[in-house]
Amino acid sequence: MAVLLTGGAGFIGSHTCVELLNANEEVVILDNFSNSKPDVLDKIRTITGKNFRFYEVDLLDRDGVEKVFAENDIEAVIHFAGLKAVGESVQKPLEYYHNNITGTLILCDVMRKHNCKNIVFSSSATVYGSPKSVPIKEDFPLSTTNPYGSTKLMLEQILSDVFVSDNDWCVTLLRYFNPIGAHKSGLLGENPNGIPNNLMPYICQVADGRLEKLNVFGNDYPTHDGTGVRDYIHVVDLANGHLKALIHSRKEKGVHIFNLGTGVGYSVLDIVKAFEKANNVKVPYVIAPRRAGDIAECYADATKALEVLGWKTQYDIEQMCKDSWNFIVTNRK
Ligand code: WQD
């Protein structure tokens, strides 16, 4: 029995693949390389010394998805594949809804046809919108402010409705906060194409001299230093959260929702200072206007994942900064 990772060549998917292989799980990866690179596959094999089957398939290609299930005995799916840039989603809503929603509908239809009724879904803290308070619990109100976030919220609803229609399903919704860091080997990490949208890859490129300075998007938020506060979580901690969720799902039916965060909020300037100290580098910055759509504070109450999954994060912000930088230094051209 194998576990299918859609988008398994991506930043979070590849790190999750490593943790599953290390736990002696049988893994199949499906990916279309729209936001990842083929060399990741051999890096996973190098890190783990283990193999897995790979299919270059787009979820919109039903025949391709069907082939994966026809050729493998898939017991569960961890569903990472999807477009995920907030700003881009505002510019290209049709592409985001088609790719993320239609792709998932095809996946679930093929799963159902092959009697595979266990899905762990890559959701996001973005479904909480602008939270009424922090830390955020799983039962907080949900709202979204951009098409990317709306696809996540809609897919949570769709998957919940699938369980209502057939109580033999297990649906696990994992709401990520802000994943950063990289595998300690330096072989896997966050490698966005073009100018990074997210804070940590941008800081890395400034420290590496590829970008001149960091623009700090606003210092007039109601936070301890005026800059935005987020819950940064090491990608390997996040990957292990998926392994714990998979193990839990095998004993369960129903819809299960978990925040995957550290429960600690750091501001933009906290991160800049932590990165400079951890890596003995400078990160020049200027205060710039707020970015549209940003919220002041967002960090998790991760109690439920600890109580139900027995999962808690192991890596602190210093290690996250060191591992992010190690990936850059290790992969300089
Ligand atoms: C973090 C903080 C910015 C860049 C997004 C998505 C979310 C998830 C994670 C997919 C904020 C500030 C950033 C910069 C800055 N993605 N910042 N200068 O916006 O919290 O979350 O990525 O699931 O869905 O919304 O992450 O890293 O973009 O921003 O000052 O050049 O850093 O204002 O306070 P965000 P981020």
Side-chain angles (χ1 to χ4, degrees):
M1 301 282 276
V3 180
L4 173 64
L5 272 56
T6 74
F11 175 45
I12 301 166
S14 58
H15 285 84
T16 301
C17 185
V18 166
E19 299 308 313
L20 263 63
L21 290 171
N22 287 342
N24 295 317
E25 294 285 347
E26 182 185 350
V27 173
V28 177
I29 289 183
L30 172 159
D31 205 301
N32 68 356
F33 295 131
S34 67
N35 194 25
S36 54
K37 296 180 175 65
D39 65 354
V40 165
L41 304 176
D42 278 341
K43 289 177 177 179
I44 293 170
R45 296 184 177 109
T46 299
I47 290 169
T48 61
K50 298 187 176 179
N51 204 357
F52 52 88
R53 301 191 74 176
F54 172 74
Y55 292 80
E56 185 172 357
V57 167
D58 187 312
L59 285 179
L60 296 175
D61 167 17
R62 178 185 286 271
D63 291 342
V65 178
E66 173 62 41
K67 178 176 166 63
V68 176
F69 281 81
E71 295 181 358
N72 299 275
D73 185 6
I74 306 292
E75 55 144 326
V77 175
I78 304 182
H79 180 30
F80 296 102
L83 299 176
K84 65 158 198 169
V86 169
E88 184 185 56
S89 78
V90 174
Q91 308 306 319
K92 300 179 177 177
L94 292 178
E95 287 79 359
Y96 268 69
Y97 286 114
H98 184 49
N99 187 81
N100 292 4
I101 306 289
T102 310
T104 304
L105 294 177
I106 291 170
L107 171 66
C108 288
D109 191 35
V110 175
M111 287 176 68
R112 177 177 58 178
K113 184 182 165 194
H114 289 267
N115 199 36
C116 175
K117 299 180 177 180
N118 184 354
I119 186 165
V120 177
F121 176 58
S122 167
S123 190
S124 168
T126 204
V127 301
Y128 294 115
S130 187
K132 61 188 180 186
S133 62
V134 283
I136 299 169
K137 287 183 176 293
E138 285 85 353
D139 63 357
F140 271 28
L142 305 178
S143 69
T144 55
T145 58
N146 60 76
Y148 159 74
S150 296
T151 68
K152 292 297 187 183
L153 188 52
M154 288 175 189
L155 288 171
E156 288 197 0
Q157 185 59 60
I158 289 167
L159 294 171
S160 301
D161 290 343
V162 167
F163 167 71
V164 170
S165 73
D166 177 352
N167 291 170
D168 206 23
W169 280 74
C170 183
V171 171
T172 305
L173 308 175
L174 300 182
R175 293 173 179 164
Y176 307 164
F177 284 71
N178 289 60
I180 62 171
H183 190 265
K184 62 188 175 188
S185 64
L187 292 176
L188 297 178
E190 193 171 13
N191 191 15
N193 302 323
I195 303 289
N197 293 305
N198 293 138
L199 180 64
M200 183 54 82
Y202 201 104
I203 285 177
C204 285
Q205 292 197 20
V206 171
D208 202 31
R210 286 186 276 165
L211 291 170
E212 182 196 354
K213 62 186 181 307
L214 171 70
N215 294 299
V216 176
F217 296 145
N219 68 345
D220 56 352
Y221 286 103
T223 64
H224 67 273
D225 64 9
T227 64
V229 171
R230 298 291 185 275
D231 185 332
Y232 298 94
I233 176 172
H234 197 293
V235 65
V236 174
D237 275 329
L238 190 60
N240 279 306
H242 288 76
L243 175 59
K244 293 276 193 182
L246 174 68
I247 293 165
H248 170 264
S249 72
R250 286 171 171 149
K251 302 171 290 196
E252 300 287 335
K253 305 294 182 191
V255 180
H256 306 273
I257 303 172
F258 300 100
N259 287 336
L260 295 189
T262 67
V264 178
Y266 286 99
S267 74
V268 177
L269 294 182
D270 290 335
I271 297 295
V272 169
K273 294 184 185 93
F275 190 90
E276 291 182 326
K277 182 180 178 191
N279 299 310
N280 192 28
V281 295
K282 293 306 285 176
V283 179
Y285 67 85
V286 294
I287 302 299
R290 291 184 177 191
R291 178 173 66 178
D294 273 353
I295 60 176
E297 280 195 298
C298 177
Y299 58 90
D301 178 324
T303 310
K304 183 179 176 187
L306 175 59
E307 288 173 351
V308 177
L309 302 179
W311 172 85
K312 77 188 303 294
T313 54
Q314 306 297 319
Y315 300 101
D316 63 10
I317 200 66
E318 179 184 7
Q319 197 61 51
M320 293 183 223
C321 291
K322 283 181 174 175
D323 289 340
S324 291
W325 182 237
N326 180 53
F327 176 68
I328 298 299
V329 173
T330 305
N331 292 278
R332 274 194 188 122
K333 296 288 182 260

